[in-house]
Amino acid sequence: MERLLRLPAAAIESVEAQPVTRIEIEGRDVIAPVIALPTLLGRPASAIPVEAGHVSLVLLRSGERRCALAVDMLSDVRTLTVEALDAPASEVDLVAGVAMQEGERLALVLSPEGLVSRWLRDEGRLASAGLGSVPAPQLRAAATILVVDDSITTRTLEKSILEAQGFRVLLSVDGLDALNLLRSGEVAVDLVVADVEMPRLDGFGLLQAMKNDPRPAPVPVILMTSRASAEDVRRGLDLGAGAYITKQKFDQRELLATISQML
């Protein structure tokens, strides 16, 4: 990560229909492609965010090649302790870990090396995305999703993915906590995404209890777990899960597409 930039929107030019910017580095002009960060992360192609007539950029370099990631805003520079994260396999290359902020808020820490590798791997696809914005899947933006997982890092990762799509996200630390929330009627939950292996009440037990209770019974459930055996998948589906996703093969696009089908 070479430099943080805040440039006038007019500094973003178009070369062969692709957004680029010219940056002076060591006395010479360097042309760097500009890519919206959500697009690099595999979400639907996004227009480059402009705030008050300016664009915020994170300049990444690999050898002599550079790309500029367009982000919503640059808020601070600080030193944080980064803890390891048990991220799904497909996200390990992009997520360096998790850091604690004030008020015990967790922040996912992206890996500059992983972002550069993703850019070099997907350069052709990213270039075709250009400045345009394609419609996102027609998801219910007002829907409320309950994420149930005893791992705080997994909950944080799923929460960030879902909130980026406009969902309201509630969190529970295990099946019993989730069941109490669902039975309370304090909030209307449209869908549950639950792990299987949890203390007190596991995902299978939560699913069975929901289907035996008239109030939460209609709420669709997605089981997302590291237990990938055919027996576990069959058990989850037999108990009434709408979908069973294994963390080893986790792809956020698959999760969002599944949610779109179930809402």
Side-chain angles (χ1 to χ4, degrees):
M1 188 166 62
E2 189 172 33
R3 192 180 297 184
L4 303 178
L5 303 163
R6 190 169 186 267
L7 304 178
I12 307 299
E13 308 174 24
S14 181
V15 174
E16 296 182 353
Q18 306 307 319
V20 301
T21 188
R22 298 175 185 271
I23 304 169
E24 184 178 337
I25 298 177
E26 297 179 351
R28 63 188 180 92
D29 279 348
V30 172
I31 297 178
V34 178
I35 305 164
L37 178 58
T39 305
L40 184 62
L41 296 178
R43 296 173 184 162
S46 303
I48 292 172
V50 178
E51 181 189 20
H54 286 75
V55 177
S56 297
L57 302 171
V58 178
L59 186 65
L60 299 179
R61 176 173 62 84
S62 176
E64 293 302 313
R65 304 191 66 186
R66 292 172 171 86
C67 74
L69 296 184
V71 298
D72 290 336
M73 63 184 297
L74 302 171
S75 60
D76 199 1
V77 176
R78 66 180 68 177
T79 300
L80 297 171
T81 300
V82 179
E83 304 286 347
L85 173 68
D86 55 343
S90 65
E91 303 297 332
V92 168
D93 61 328
L94 290 179
V95 180
V98 64
M100 186 76 73
Q101 296 181 298
E102 292 89 347
E104 297 188 345
R105 293 185 301 115
L106 289 176
L108 291 174
V109 180
L110 296 178
S111 162
E113 294 86 354
L115 292 170
V116 169
S117 296
R118 179 69 63 91
W119 164 55
L120 293 174
R121 187 194 75 185
D122 296 347
E123 191 173 6
R125 177 184 65 81
L126 294 168
S128 67
L131 278 167
S133 177
V134 298
Q138 295 302 305
L139 305 178
R140 283 178 55 187
T144 297
I145 298 178
L146 174 61
V147 173
V148 190
D149 201 301
D150 61 320
S151 166
I152 188 172
T153 50
T154 300
R155 293 198 305 269
T156 300
L157 179 63
E158 293 178 21
K159 183 174 186 286
S160 67
I161 292 172
L162 297 173
E163 286 186 336
Q165 297 296 322
F167 292 110
R168 180 188 181 194
V169 181
L170 304 176
L171 301 176
S172 288
V173 298
D174 58 31
L176 185 58
D177 184 34
L179 188 60
N180 289 336
L181 186 151
L182 290 165
R183 284 174 170 171
S184 71
E186 295 177 359
V187 61
V189 173
D190 298 292
L191 182 139
V192 174
V193 179
D195 188 20
V196 168
E197 296 179 290
M198 296 181 290
R200 299 203 297 173
L201 183 64
D202 65 13
F204 293 141
L206 169 62
L207 181 57
Q208 189 168 26
M210 287 177 62
K211 297 308 177 184
N212 291 333
D213 189 320
R215 174 171 283 175
V219 179
V221 177
I222 297 174
L223 292 179
M224 192 166 77
T225 174
S226 57
R227 293 173 62 164
S229 71
E231 181 181 353
D232 286 326
V233 175
R234 185 165 52 252
R235 182 183 177 191
L237 297 177
D238 288 345
L239 286 171
Y244 195 106
I245 300 175
T246 58
K247 291 181 179 179
Q248 293 91 331
K249 299 180 180 179
F250 173 73
D251 183 317
Q252 68 180 39
R253 288 166 292 188
E254 177 188 358
L255 174 61
L256 294 173
T258 302
I259 292 173
S260 177
Q261 294 169 3
M262 297 178 66
L263 288 177

